[in-house]
Amino acid sequence: FFSFWPPVRSGSARPSGFFAPSEGAMLPAGSFRDRLAFITGGGTGLGRAMTMVLSQLGARCVIASRKLDVLQETAGEISSQTGNQVHALQCDVRDPQAVARCVDQMVALSGLPDVIINNAAGNFICPTERLTPNGWRSVTDIVLNGTAFVTLELGKRLIQAQKGASFLAITTIYAESGSGFVVPSAAAKAGVEALYKSLAAEWGRYGHRFNIIQPGPIRTKGAFSRLDPTGTFEKSMIDRIPTGRLGKPAELANLAAYLSSDFASWMSGAVIRFDGGEYVSMAGEFNELRKVTPDQWKMLEAMIKGTKGS
Amino acid sequence: FFSFWPPVRSGSARPSGFFAPSEGAMLPAGSFRDRLAFITGGGTGLGRAMTMVLSQLGARCVIASRKLDVLQETAGEISSQTGNQVHALQCDVRDPQAVARCVDQMVALSGLPDVIINNAAGNFICPTERLTPNGWRSVTDIVLNGTAFVTLELGKRLIQAQKGASFLAITTIYAESGSGFVVPSAAAKAGVEALYKSLAAEWGRYGHRFNIIQPGPIRTKGAFSRLDPTGTFEKSMIDRIPTGRLGKPAELANLAAYLSSDFASWMSGAVIRFDGGEYVSMAGEFNELRKVTPDQWKMLEAMIKGTKGS
Amino acid sequence: FFSFWPPVRSGSARPSGFFAPSEGAMLPAGSFRDRLAFITGGGTGLGRAMTMVLSQLGARCVIASRKLDVLQETAGEISSQTGNQVHALQCDVRDPQAVARCVDQMVALSGLPDVIINNAAGNFICPTERLTPNGWRSVTDIVLNGTAFVTLELGKRLIQAQKGASFLAITTIYAESGSGFVVPSAAAKAGVEALYKSLAAEWGRYGHRFNIIQPGPIRTKGAFSRLDPTGTFEKSMIDRIPTGRLGKPAELANLAAYLSSDFASWMSGAVIRFDGGEYVSMAGEFNELRKVTPDQWKMLEAMIKGTKGS
Amino acid sequence: FFSFWPPVRSGSARPSGFFAPSEGAMLPAGSFRDRLAFITGGGTGLGRAMTMVLSQLGARCVIASRKLDVLQETAGEISSQTGNQVHALQCDVRDPQAVARCVDQMVALSGLPDVIINNAAGNFICPTERLTPNGWRSVTDIVLNGTAFVTLELGKRLIQAQKGASFLAITTIYAESGSGFVVPSAAAKAGVEALYKSLAAEWGRYGHRFNIIQPGPIRTKGAFSRLDPTGTFEKSMIDRIPTGRLGKPAELANLAAYLSSDFASWMSGAVIRFDGGEYVSMAGEFNELRKVTPDQWKMLEAMIKGTKGS
Ligand SMILES: NC(=O)c1ccc[n+]([C@@H]2O[C@H](COP(=O)([O-])OP(=O)(O)OC[C@H]3O[C@@H](n4cnc5c(N)ncnc54)[C@H](OP(=O)(O)O)[C@@H]3O)[C@@H](O)[C@H]2O)c1
Ligand SMILES: NC(=O)c1ccc[n+]([C@@H]2O[C@H](COP(=O)([O-])OP(=O)(O)OC[C@H]3O[C@@H](n4cnc5c(N)ncnc54)[C@H](OP(=O)(O)O)[C@@H]3O)[C@@H](O)[C@H]2O)c1
Ligand SMILES: NC(=O)c1ccc[n+]([C@@H]2O[C@H](COP(=O)([O-])OP(=O)(O)OC[C@H]3O[C@@H](n4cnc5c(N)ncnc54)[C@H](OP(=O)(O)O)[C@@H]3O)[C@@H](O)[C@H]2O)c1
Ligand SMILES: NC(=O)c1ccc[n+]([C@@H]2O[C@H](COP(=O)([O-])OP(=O)(O)OC[C@H]3O[C@@H](n4cnc5c(N)ncnc54)[C@H](OP(=O)(O)O)[C@@H]3O)[C@@H](O)[C@H]2O)c1
């Protein structure tokens, strides 16, 4: 059963140079010309990176979240770099009326969007027995209700206008498996995924596509300050990520741009894990054996071959 | 590749007698002696059926929901039949303070529970573009927040009391796939599943197990009046259910009793589809070919064999 | 967001007494009276435990695998204990003709079975780059082809005889996620799951149900000698299993008996993880935080609360 | 709960112009310059389309399958169109020695590949009770064993050469759910997915990435002649596909090129459904309600609102 192979590297050491990130824009220039993109949480982190790429590719963008000053700064920086308009609108997605007002403003400014990215979220690590009902709501109201309110408001208006659109939600690799210590986030993100898969089926007839990206760890101030405040967790994540590094915002942004573009016009209801392989690496029961050395494998093979019967 | 088999029945006709339900209690008598079970929505439908079986098996039960009169009637009927106490407590699970008061009352009456079943829910069919933010919340507040508030409140008290418990949530087969026309329910149930999988991992150390049943269609007044008000949908469900019938509340109750019992003390983090095979039947791309007759198959086989190349 | 709770146990220490196994038979006596059960690999390990419980509950059993002497010894022991017949038949499931002959013998002895359990398997740990094509086949031929040949042979005969049956396959928790170092087993078990889900949909019309149990680690000589020959892996498994122990064969056997019984006559197409919570514990990205102590949590909470902006 | 919305289109009618395919190459010119790609089944259908795009983007390609004449014709056509080399090698992937010889030839011609696409497959519709063991093997040997043999052979050589690579497998949307009437394909494709997820975890340390595309229906002669020989199934597929059309080979090829490119260097262990939304549309229990008209919805709403109690 075994072929005796020249000793190979064991442990997590990786020849350097594999898996280097490509951070330039991937799609053809102008892929989003005459398109309007609406990105929640577009002022910071991954939302900002997605806005940057869409803007580079020709989209006009509207970014919305609670902190208008942050949004305006980002909008100014991106539009001065790309030459395309970026609008900043204040909006707390937990409040359906604020969402409606925000959409009113967008429509007045630039019409209904072709691309919608639900990226706004809140999260923090906490043992669940220390969580209050308000702590629970502080996350689920943004992530699940916020996404629903934005999606309902825009969906209804787009349907009335008979305009198609691409919807994208940013969730997380633990939406399916669940995870302790980030439980409201796990529940709310799972809810977002079901919402989007449901609407992929239901609203295709109105010209709408719905897809999901589940990112693994990508350093942003927002996520890392609340999920790994001391920085100690990062090392153990990198150790178990088969590609041996965190993701880069620009990599995620290229994937998001693809999914939002006409090149993906047949993609709907998809859930795309983008995590350097972390999830499969954690979930597989015997992956811990990566720590076994070649010499130990020889010994194990001999023991196994020597086993008789069951 | 093909073996030429004597013609077999096609279509959905099934020899009668297959898959007859067994509705008697399955577990050994006394399996829940000295155990206290807390069942939300225990006054009606599936919750009532689960309460009945647990009570038959020796548990004291506390059932809780909004309608005290309905609960009291059920409690009276069950306890007079089984001889074991059933308490009725009013509780709107959407309100964390009401949940806390309800648990206070239960503790005063009979202590902390060994078995918790989160079964309360709301749902109705509706095209999503007709749904208001309040319509969204009317379902998600009960299903997701309600389950969370009950679980947090009981979990915290059990942890402090160093008492183990079995938690069970009743979700649905469309929690994973999503489904149009019941979108808030799909999202909220998916959230409940992630909550329970998360806590299965996190709270094992406190002696808690968390499992999930995803029922397929089982006739209850509550579910069917809001999901199939005209009764026309039922036939098409039965047609695609491989076991050719709806489930029975008593069948679900036996499964729930098993999962809540010591026989399942090693089961945690499990998600059990209980649907007569409906889900796999819908999801599989070629299952529609069940309509092809044996004669048509012979013709198709000949055509396929005649195909040359790709 | 945080409620300041009296310090709780951290780490993996668990108050003893939680999750103790119940190893007695669960179903009512006589549940399998007049039923015939066919169990591959029924001579050892989990197959033996399932045969024992079915026999206790009144079934006649036929057990089949390669080693006739082992089968005969098991058959003798079980039948002398339960008073019900257990037949031993030699059968290498990789060989379709041997399977056909084995079924011929069973039919001659006792007819066609009501309960079929595909439990035979092979597996061993090995870095995949050390695996030969023959090593690949040595596992996949037993697990995937063997299960298919047994299922096709029995399915065809049952269909012709218009007899219903319950089919059960024993797979593993890494069938869905995959796992390094047991790759042929992961692939073959995933194939078995798809086979069974497919037939749950297709063969319901013939009176057949198909379900799957995915066991986590349960000590048997066969599995552990080839998957953890030195015994060092076991400790790390127990550490991450939320219920803090391995499973017991008798626990799995009770679940298998339930699924094979009339109490589960509405269950088909289900995939039941039975693993003490191991899978969700491994898969959840932040579960490693179980190592954080209460004092460290206080510090982390303070850091997170102090974070401003994104 | 309901907002009374101006009547909307019902049924599956879709304003035309939504979801039009974009069939030009998506990635920047030269994305695969100096890269060698190995595509099994590259002579026809989707394999041919992927080869075309990779070649356009600068890759040298090696295509391999059983029919050398078909391969040579494709190779000639593509390379004359793109100006980049395309080699044709005969190889039956079921035979590990043939695979080894094929890799020897490739190495002699052009070295070890940077991109590997396991695309070769066989499939045909058939009621499973009509399937012989040879019929079972005719599909699983190509799909599962063939993919394994190619992956093991190339993996080992790449590891020895310390060369990184991107592996991609083409599976199907019914790999996870299973499907009747294409059962060997469902089982084998599920096996391929587990193989690739396993190696994503295990072989990251050698610089290898592994990803999966699950296509929905895309017209090719090979697939459609054996899965829908009469052409009657196609209409019902289009009806349930939310984007209202089949996919195009060039769309799949763009996705495959992205996953094989450096832009996706952080993507590993991903399973990407690419099916126009067909899967979620089939799987969601209430999606059939798309047939309800706006007037019927008004009536249903009234009935539901009139319901009292549970
Ligand atoms: N970074 C990662 O490793 C990672 C991994 C998995 C998933 N994700 C997901 O990626 C997305 C972006 O995260 P990130 O890492 O870029 O973190 P981030 O910079 O903190 O982004 C979160 C954004 O959400 C906005 N937001 C929060 N509450 C809001 C509300 N009530 N209304 C409107 N906007 C609100 C914030 O803006 P204001 O404060 O101005 O409102 C902020 O711009 C999130 O969905 C996150 O869950 C990230
Ligand atoms: N029957 C099926 O086919 C089916 C299929 C899949 C899943 N399920 C699930 O099975 C469970 C039981 O459903 P069922 O069919 O038995 O329907 P049901 O009789 O309507 O049960 C729902 C119960 O939830 C209670 N409830 C609703 N809102 C509540 C609130 N705010 N606080 C506390 N309790 C509340 C109701 O009692 P009050 O009105 O007194 O509050 C009622 O007893 C639900 O979780 C449902 O989603 C059922
Ligand atoms: N124990 C665990 O922790 C665990 C966890 C997950 C899954 N499982 C699964 O549980 C099942 C039972 O495993 P186990 O732990 O009980 O190990 P086991 O005792 O080694 O059982 C395997 C059985 O398969 C039979 N078998 C092997 N090759 C065969 C062939 N070619 N034809 C017919 N029978 C064959 C063996 O009998 P012969 O040698 O006589 O042929 C043996 O009785 C397997 O499917 C395994 O994958 C076990
Ligand atoms: N088209 C669809 O709608 C669809 C949907 C889901 C998945 N897929 C998948 O997409 C892939 C391509 O399918 P397709 O539609 O393009 O059909 P196709 O043209 O028939 O492609 C199959 C290819 O596999 C090759 N092949 C078959 N047996 C082989 C063997 N033993 N050794 C080496 N090569 C072999 C064939 O070439 P030779 O005959 O020369 O060997 C052929 O080029 C397959 O994996 C299929 O399962 C297709």
Side-chain angles (χ1 to χ4, degrees), chain B residues 46 171-174 214-220 223-224 227-228 233-249 251-252 273-279 282, chain C residues 266, chain D residues 285-286:
Chain B
L46 304 184
T171 64
T172 156
I173 56 168
Y174 56 74
Q214 301 176 320
I218 300 175
R219 181 191 301 290
T220 64
F224 275 55
L227 296 175
D228 188 20
F233 193 45
E234 178 173 337
K235 200 194 152 318
S236 80
M237 284 192 296
I238 291 179
D239 267 358
R240 68 191 178 201
I241 294 179
T243 51
R245 63 171 176 91
L246 301 185
K248 297 283 184 181
E251 295 179 289
L252 178 100
R273 210 187 285 135
F274 185 66
D275 74 341
E278 189 188 25
Y279 183 81
M282 292 184 294
Chain C
W266 201 55
Chain D
E285 198 180 16
F286 287 87

Side-chain angles (χ1 to χ4, degrees), chain C residues 131-137 140-141, chain D residues 92-100 103 118 140-156 195:
Chain C
L131 201 68
T132 59
N134 280 340
W136 169 266
R137 279 199 192 105
T140 56
D141 275 356
Chain D
D92 187 327
V93 295
R94 293 170 294 188
D95 174 359
Q97 294 185 317
V99 171
V103 175
N118 269 293
T140 57
D141 274 356
I142 304 173
V143 174
L144 180 53
N145 288 344
T147 301
F149 297 149
V150 168
T151 303
L152 287 176
E153 185 66 40
L154 285 168
K156 288 175 182 189
L195 168 67

Side-chain angles (χ1 to χ4, degrees), chain A residues 35-94:
Chain A
R35 302 291 168 93
L36 179 67
F38 177 72
I39 302 105
T40 65
T44 65
L46 304 183
R48 183 196 160 103
M50 293 187 282
T51 306
M52 174 66 86
V53 164
L54 293 171
S55 181
Q56 282 171 345
L57 296 170
R60 277 171 310 143
C61 296
V62 175
I63 57 180
S65 73
R66 294 165 306 178
K67 302 205 190 74
L68 191 57
D69 52 340
V70 174
L71 293 167
Q72 283 168 335
E73 204 184 314
T74 296
E77 284 172 20
I78 294 180
S79 91
S80 75
Q81 201 171 317
T82 65
N84 292 313
Q85 283 177 19
V86 182
H87 298 293
L89 294 179
Q90 192 173 32
C91 177
D92 188 328
V93 295
R94 293 170 296 188

Side-chain angles (χ1 to χ4, degrees), chain B residues 8-307:
Chain B
V8 287
R9 261 178 320 285
S10 84
S12 55
R14 284 176 210 79
S16 60
F18 293 147
F19 310 124
S22 288
E23 302 186 59
M26 173 174 81
L27 294 187
S31 287
F32 289 91
R33 189 168 304 131
D34 299 329
R35 300 292 169 92
L36 179 67
F38 178 73
I39 302 104
T40 65
T44 66
L46 304 184
R48 183 195 161 103
M50 293 188 280
T51 306
M52 176 65 88
V53 164
L54 293 171
S55 181
Q56 283 171 345
L57 296 171
R60 278 170 308 144
C61 295
V62 175
I63 57 180
S65 73
R66 291 165 308 177
K67 303 207 191 73
L68 191 57
D69 53 339
V70 174
L71 293 167
Q72 283 169 336
E73 202 184 315
T74 296
E77 285 171 20
I78 293 180
S79 91
S80 75
Q81 200 172 319
T82 65
N84 291 314
Q85 285 176 20
V86 182
H87 298 293
L89 294 179
Q90 191 174 33
C91 178
D92 188 327
V93 296
R94 293 171 294 189
D95 174 358
Q97 294 186 318
V99 171
R101 278 193 308 270
C102 169
V103 175
D104 285 341
Q105 286 177 276
M106 170 165 55
V107 168
L109 272 170
S110 37
L112 284 167
D114 306 271
V115 169
I116 293 112
I117 303 185
N118 270 293
N119 162 75
N123 196 9
F124 56 92
I125 50 170
C126 180
T128 307
E129 69 272 19
R130 295 172 94 100
L131 200 69
T132 59
N134 281 342
W136 168 265
R137 278 200 193 104
S138 71
V139 172
T140 57
D141 275 355
I142 304 173
V143 173
L144 180 53
N145 288 344
T147 300
F149 297 150
V150 168
T151 303
L152 286 176
E153 184 66 40
L154 285 168
K156 288 176 182 188
R157 299 213 199 186
L158 287 160
I159 288 168
Q160 237 183 353
Q162 306 205 8
K163 183 173 161 67
S166 163
F167 289 78
L168 179 67
I170 309 300
T171 64
T172 156
I173 56 168
Y174 56 74
E176 274 167 48
S177 58
S179 172
F181 305 101
V182 286
V183 177
S185 172
K189 293 285 195 183
V192 168
E193 295 196 353
L195 169 66
Y196 266 45
K197 289 184 272 191
S198 299
L199 290 176
E202 191 186 334
W203 282 0
R205 57 176 166 175
Y206 300 125
H208 301 165
R209 299 188 294 115
F210 290 82
N211 293 294
I212 295 158
I213 301 176
Q214 301 176 320
I218 300 175
R219 181 191 301 290
T220 64
K221 185 189 164 204
F224 275 55
S225 62
R226 293 175 181 88
L227 296 175
D228 188 20
T230 61
T232 46
F233 193 45
E234 178 173 337
K235 200 194 152 318
S236 80
M237 284 192 296
I238 291 179
D239 267 358
R240 68 191 178 201
I241 294 179
T243 51
R245 63 171 176 91
L246 301 185
K248 297 283 184 181
E251 295 179 289
L252 178 100
N254 273 330
L255 173 57
Y258 162 58
L259 293 173
S260 302
S261 79
D262 289 348
F263 290 104
S265 66
W266 200 56
M267 193 177 283
S268 193
V271 183
I272 300 182
R273 210 187 285 135
F274 185 66
D275 74 341
E278 189 188 25
Y279 183 81
V280 291
S281 171
M282 292 184 294
E285 198 181 14
F286 287 88
N287 286 331
E288 215 187 308
L289 297 183
R290 74 170 75 87
K291 290 172 200 152
V292 176
T293 65
D295 283 348
Q296 291 171 328
W297 275 117
K298 280 190 194 143
M299 191 196 67
L300 289 173
E301 284 175 3
M303 292 178 75
I304 292 169
K305 285 188 180 192
T307 303

Side-chain angles (χ1 to χ4, degrees), chain A residues 153-176:
Chain A
E153 185 65 41
L154 286 167
K156 289 177 182 189
R157 300 211 198 186
L158 288 160
I159 289 168
Q160 236 181 356
Q162 305 205 11
K163 183 173 161 66
S166 162
F167 290 77
L168 179 66
I170 309 299
T171 64
T172 155
I173 54 169
Y174 55 74
E176 273 167 48

Side-chain angles (χ1 to χ4, degrees), chain C residues 94 96 126-129 131-133 136-137 140 144-145 148-149 152 156 159 175-181 183 186-187 190-191 194-195 197-199 202-203 205-206, chain D residues 94 96 126-129 131-133 136-137 140 144-145 148-149 152 156 159 175-181 183 186-187 190-191 194-195 197-199 202-203 205-206:
Chain C
R94 292 170 294 188
C126 178
T128 308
E129 68 272 18
L131 201 68
T132 59
W136 169 266
R137 279 199 192 105
T140 56
L144 180 54
N145 288 345
F149 297 149
L152 287 177
K156 288 175 182 188
I159 289 168
E176 274 167 46
S177 60
S179 172
F181 306 101
V183 176
L195 169 67
K197 288 183 275 191
S198 300
L199 290 176
E202 192 186 335
W203 282 0
R205 56 176 167 173
Y206 300 125
Chain D
R94 293 170 294 188
C126 179
T128 308
E129 68 272 19
L131 200 68
T132 58
W136 168 267
R137 277 200 193 104
T140 57
L144 180 53
N145 288 344
F149 297 149
L152 287 176
K156 288 175 182 189
I159 288 167
E176 274 168 47
S177 60
S179 172
F181 305 100
V183 176
L195 168 67
K197 288 185 272 190
S198 299
L199 291 176
E202 192 185 335
W203 282 0
R205 56 177 166 173
Y206 300 125

